Amino acid sequence: LLTDEEEITGGTGESMSGSNTRNQCLFFITFILTLIVSLALVSFVIFLIFQTRNEVDQISRRLLSEKKNIEELKKLNNIILKHLNQSRIKE
């Protein structure tokens, strides 16, 4: 037969409530660390999203600027071609 003390300690010499408290403490520490790491990862992902959006905006602005330059060059080319055609006709 087990004595009252052996029933409380589970026969290991330490109380079950102490083991439970230690397990709960370990669980909460692990939980808090997991939350901190998750928060850090989410923050990093949000930072990367904003950086990517800024880069895409810059590239879009450059493309629009280059498109305007190309349109101007086409107009100048047409003007030059017209002038050359007119000068050939006169000759």
Side-chain angles (χ1 to χ4, degrees):
L1 294 176
L2 295 173
T3 63
D4 288 341
E5 187 176 324
E6 287 176 332
E7 287 179 14
I8 292 173
T9 62
T12 61
E14 66 179 56
S15 69
M16 295 296 266
S17 63
S19 178
N20 268 346
T21 304
R22 189 175 338 120
N23 285 340
Q24 285 178 348
C25 184
L26 197 62
F27 171 76
F28 284 122
I29 289 173
T30 305
F31 182 71
I32 289 172
L33 286 175
T34 304
L35 285 178
I36 291 171
V37 169
S38 298
L39 181 63
L41 288 174
V42 167
S43 300
F44 183 67
V45 167
I46 290 171
F47 171 75
L48 286 179
I49 288 171
F50 280 118
Q51 284 295 108
T52 305
R53 191 177 77 184
N54 289 339
E55 292 293 324
V56 168
D57 287 344
Q58 287 179 356
I59 291 171
S60 295
R61 277 188 244 118
R62 285 186 205 155
L63 287 174
L64 285 175
S65 174
E66 291 299 319
K67 182 179 177 182
K68 289 178 184 176
N69 289 339
I70 290 172
E71 292 297 325
E72 289 177 13
L73 288 173
K74 283 181 182 178
K75 288 178 184 177
L76 284 174
N77 188 29
N78 285 336
I79 291 171
I80 292 171
L81 286 176
K82 284 180 184 177
H83 179 71
L84 287 174
N85 284 337
Q86 286 178 356
S87 65
R88 285 185 191 157
I89 290 174
K90 290 181 181 179
E91 291 177 358

